[in-house]
Structures are given as structure tokens and as C-alpha cells.
Amino acid sequence: MLKNRIKVKSLLFFTFCISFGCQKDSLPTETPTVVEPEVPMSFQIIAVSDPKVTTHHLKSGDSGFQIGITSNGGGIINELIIPGVGDIMGVQTDQYGRAGQVAIRDQSHNGRYNPTQAGFNETLGTKCIITSSTGKLTVEPRPMALWHGDKSYDYIRWENIGPDPYTDDNGNSDIDDLDEENLEGKQETEVKSEFDYFGTYEDYYGKNGITAGTIRHYYQISYIRPPGHCINQFRDRGPGIAPFNANFLKDDISVNAPNGVHKGTDKDLNGMIGVWSLRNDVKLWLPTYVYYRTNTGQWKNKLAADATDDIDSASDDRVFISSDGNDINTSKALCLYRPNTDINRNVIIGINETTGATEYKDSRGFWNNITYDLTRTPSLSKYGFISGGNGMINRTRLNSNVYEAYRNEVFILYGSPKQIMDSIIILDKILGL
């Protein structure tokens, strides 16, 4: 019962706010830290583009299972091919505010300061560089844009790159009370957050005998730039002035590292929440069964499960399988798995920008829940993971050349439910779990 309450509470909050290894048999369980100098780009932080365009594809196995990502929108997933069904992501889910991606927010900024993998709005995406190698796609380090504020906080004075969603802003004004009439960079400066995104998608099919199509997504979101104009638009201006709430400031953001007490400020993230999710058009695929793993390692299934509360409180909150039938050997099934690895336990790391070394790891009290909503709207499903904890410390408060990053790894599997369950056993051994 308590776990269900936690799930409902976290989902309600986010509803108001708003998705390595090698080829050898013995695989590392730790992804090397990525040093993230800003990649030179000839394009701006956001640009008008078509979210339906898929620029890179990655197959896993010989069944025809495949994902596709787009360099128009931060490397988000906008194609998910299920053999015999086709691409289950269509017009409803290809948009930049949807698709398959990660975004972060925090409670002290009322969820409005919102660095997002994809871009600024449904058609203004963040272009990025994606490199391909055998069995792997790499989204190179890229500054993250802020989402437009869910039409609840107009911080955009300029629209020289693209329009904001506010139609009653008196000729392009905003409400952040900053003088931006002669702002260098204009909309670029307003939208470009202090965070960078880096990610990889890697095929794990066949490793150590894995028979299900299996793709690992690793991502790292780095608070790499000192607090600047962007986060200052969401600063503390006193009690009752949106979008800041000092009641959510942490007495100490850090748990075990770095040393010392780090009381939260309006330039840090306090009560941070990260969501990794996939979406699909329900007219293209709407599975009827869900399998989930209990805290004791047993698998259970339910018919016509539609929402998180339909998954028993005994769920381990790490893995679920959506299936189009109850035949464990022949049904088509899609699985999302967030394993209990060191990466997913110690999600905050401190990185030395000069050497690339990981200076420290910290759990920050991050919890994890499944999000599962197969009819989030009449036209689309949303499912994945939501995690939260103390937050992140801006780099001006850390040792010289050190910044913090938030990291995660999630696996996407396709096959029959039995194939997936057997493959997860192998995957756990690979990961040392």
C-alpha cells in the first residue's frame, strides 16, 4: 500500500510538471565517464524541423526489431518497429515533446526549468551530431534546450528562431522581469540551458546467448555550464512569485559526496525528477497483457492492465513486459528494464573536466518507479520510469574543473515474453546482478 501511495504521489507531481559495453563475452558493468567539452556546432540550440524524420536506425536480432532516432531532435527515439506490426510510433508520438526521450525538472523551480533531450516545442528541435559504428549509435555531447514551460510560465522574450506557444504575451513580452531588450544571443540565450546531453544506443543481441532483441540506452545529463542567464529566468524573486518555491530547497543536496554541506539554492536543482519514457500510437499497437517481476523475482501477469496502479505493489519497479497475448512462448512483447546497477544506484557523479576522471559518486536518495499508462490520451500510450531525489549542485560550488552529471541506463527488449525473461537472466549475469 505504501509503495502504491509513493507511485501515485510521484506521478501526480509529474503530471503537473509534465522519456557500452564491448563485443567480448565479459562485459563491463560501468560506462566510462564522458568528458564533455562543448561540441562545435554550426546550428543553433533549436531549429524548425520535421519530427517525423528518422535519421539513424539500429536493429537488434534477426526478427526485424528496430529503433530509429533523429538528429533533428537530440537523438530521441521516433521509430520503434515491432516485427509483423511495423512502426508503432506515428503522427501522435513523433513530435518533439513526446517520442522516446529523457527530461529533468525539479520541485524548487516548480517543474518549469526543464532541460529536455528533444528541444523547445513540438516542431523546434535540438539538432545534434550522431555517429554510427557497428551495433551502436552515439549522440555526441550537446547543449540541451529548455522546454517552453508547458504554457504555464512565459520566459521567452525573443522569437527570432521560432515562435513560443504564448499567444497573449502582448507582442512578444515575457514575465521573468529581466531586461532582455538588448540580450546577446536573444532566444538562443533564453533557451540554451546550463546542461548537456550525451547518449548511446547499443545492440546487445547475442551477447552471452541473449535471444531477445535487446538495446541498451545509456545517457548522461551534465550540469556543465555555470549558472547563467537561462536559469536566472527562474530565480528566487521572493515568496509567492512563480516559478520558484523556496520551501523545496534542500538542507543538504549531497548525501555522501562531495564532502561538506551543500544547502540548496535557486541555482541548483532541488527535489530533482527525471523521466525516461517511450510512447506509441494506440491505433498502431495496444497490448492486452502486462508482465511484471516481483520483489522475490517471480513473474506475474495481468490482463488489460492500463495504468501504474494496475501493476501490483509487489513489483520490483525495475522491469515490465507489454504483450499482445497471454501465450508466453508466441506472443509479441516489448520490455523496458532499468536494472539495479551501480550506474542506476549512484546516479550522480562528479567529473573532472581536465582529466575525465570520476571524482565521486552519490546516490542522492534517488527512488525509482515504473510509469505505465497505455491510454494516457485517447491516441497515445506513455510508459517508462520516473526517478527522483535530492538534486544537483551547480559547478561554481564544487572544486575547480569539476561538474556534476546525472546518469542512467535502460534496456529495451523485444521477443516473446519467455525470450525476454530468459534474456534478462543472462543480462543480469552480464551486469553482475
Side-chain angles (χ1 to χ4, degrees):
M1 182 64 73
L2 177 60
K3 181 179 284 188
N4 276 341
R5 289 198 191 104
I6 292 172
K7 287 179 180 177
V8 172
K9 183 177 180 181
S10 63
L11 286 172
L12 285 174
F13 169 72
F14 213 83
T15 296
F16 108 78
C17 289
I18 281 233
S19 98
F20 292 81
C22 60
Q23 298 299 320
K24 299 179 182 178
D25 287 340
S26 178
L27 298 172
T29 59
E30 181 76 13
T31 296
T33 297
V34 176
V35 182
E36 299 188 70
E38 210 166 310
V39 177
M41 299 286 181
S42 60
F43 39 77
Q44 294 175 297
I45 184 69
I46 52 174
V48 176
S49 58
D50 185 352
K52 298 187 298 297
V53 173
T54 300
T55 59
H56 296 74
H57 307 270
L58 181 63
K59 292 182 178 180
S60 184
D62 53 11
S63 68
F65 172 59
Q66 175 176 294
I67 69 166
I69 66 176
T70 177
S71 62
N72 283 340
I76 60 171
I77 299 171
N78 67 348
E79 175 188 81
L80 186 60
I81 294 178
I82 292 181
V85 178
D87 183 6
I88 63 173
M89 300 180 72
V91 64
Q92 296 300 323
T93 52
D94 281 343
Q95 299 174 61
Y96 292 133
R98 301 176 180 180
Q101 63 171 307
V102 61
I104 59 172
R105 308 185 188 226
D106 76 303
Q107 291 174 295
S108 65
H109 293 95
N110 283 337
R112 303 305 178 205
Y113 179 80
N114 182 200
T116 304
Q117 182 183 349
F120 172 73
N121 65 20
E122 305 296 4
T123 57
L124 282 167
T126 296
K127 290 183 178 292
C128 64
I129 294 175
I130 299 173
T131 57
S132 301
S133 57
T134 303
K136 187 174 182 180
L137 299 174
T138 299
V139 183
E140 302 296 345
R142 179 72 172 100
M144 297 175 74
L146 288 193
W147 193 242
H148 58 62
D150 292 342
K151 298 185 179 180
S152 298
Y153 179 69
D154 185 358
Y155 65 92
I156 305 104
R157 159 65 180 86
W158 291 97
E159 299 182 52
N160 54 295
I161 301 176
D164 67 30
Y166 303 97
T167 57
D168 57 350
D169 57 359
N170 297 316
N172 223 18
S173 62
D174 62 24
I175 58 173
D176 59 26
D177 290 340
L178 293 173
D179 182 1
E180 297 168 320
E181 192 62 29
N182 298 304
L183 180 66
E184 183 178 359
K186 296 183 178 179
Q187 192 175 14
E188 172 93 2
T189 300
E190 292 183 292
V191 170
K192 182 179 176 181
S193 79
E194 285 76 7
F195 288 80
D196 273 13
Y197 172 88
F198 163 83
T200 62
Y201 301 90
E202 185 174 4
D203 178 19
Y204 265 49
Y205 175 78
K207 295 181 188 294
N208 291 37
I210 290 176
T211 60
T214 303
I215 293 174
R216 175 186 184 248
H217 181 203
Y218 172 82
Y219 60 89
Q220 186 171 298
I221 296 175
S222 301
Y223 199 160
I224 194 167
R225 282 173 289 283
H229 184 88
C230 192
I231 198 169
N232 196 45
Q233 297 168 128
F234 302 80
R235 67 199 179 281
D236 184 359
R237 287 184 277 162
I241 302 178
F244 190 79
N245 189 336
N247 292 328
F248 288 106
L249 291 177
K250 296 295 180 180
D251 291 333
D252 188 1
I253 294 176
S254 60
V255 175
N256 298 309
N259 292 329
V261 175
H262 298 82
K263 184 176 176 58
T265 74
D266 63 348
K267 301 304 185 290
D268 307 303
L269 298 189
N270 300 263
M272 176 180 160
I273 289 181
V275 170
W276 185 95
S277 58
L278 279 175
R279 294 170 174 84
N280 70 266
D281 292 46
V282 297
K283 289 183 179 180
L284 300 176
W285 195 58
L286 186 63
T288 52
Y289 281 82
V290 62
Y291 295 81
Y292 59 91
R293 193 172 63 181
T294 69
N295 288 315
T296 59
Q298 304 301 308
W299 287 95
K300 292 186 177 182
N301 72 358
K302 282 195 172 185
L303 172 65
D306 178 61
T308 303
D309 288 347
D310 292 332
I311 299 178
D312 196 291
S313 62
S315 166
D316 67 1
D317 282 325
R318 293 282 170 188
V319 59
F320 61 92
I321 301 170
S322 295
S323 174
D324 65 4
N326 65 347
D327 189 320
I328 197 170
N329 294 302
T330 62
S331 299
K332 292 180 173 66
L334 185 70
C335 171
L336 297 184
Y337 182 30
R338 185 180 183 272
N340 192 29
T341 55
D342 178 71
I343 287 172
N344 288 337
R345 292 193 306 271
N346 294 298
V347 295
I348 301 297
I349 53 176
I351 301 172
N352 187 304
E353 193 170 37
T354 302
T355 66
T358 298
E359 298 279 334
Y360 58 83
K361 305 175 186 178
D362 202 18
S363 67
R364 298 284 161 91
F366 272 76
W367 45 263
N368 178 76
N369 289 157
I370 289 170
T371 61
Y372 187 81
D373 197 347
L374 290 187
T375 51
R376 179 176 175 82
T377 73
S379 61
L380 64 86
S381 299
K382 179 183 178 181
Y383 40 93
F385 302 98
I386 180 172
S387 60
N390 288 5
M392 295 181 72
I393 304 166
N394 81 77
R395 67 179 301 160
T396 66
R397 307 178 66 192
L398 304 173
N399 290 339
S400 178
N401 292 327
V402 174
Y403 62 88
E404 291 196 340
Y406 168 71
R407 61 182 185 167
N408 265 268
E409 59 180 337
V410 177
F411 289 83
I412 307 169
L413 296 91
Y414 169 79
S416 70
K418 182 67 165 58
Q419 274 183 308
I420 291 171
M421 293 172 189
D422 290 345
S423 295
I424 286 176
I425 293 173
I426 298 172
L427 187 57
D428 282 351
K429 291 180 180 178
I430 291 174
L431 297 173
L433 300 177

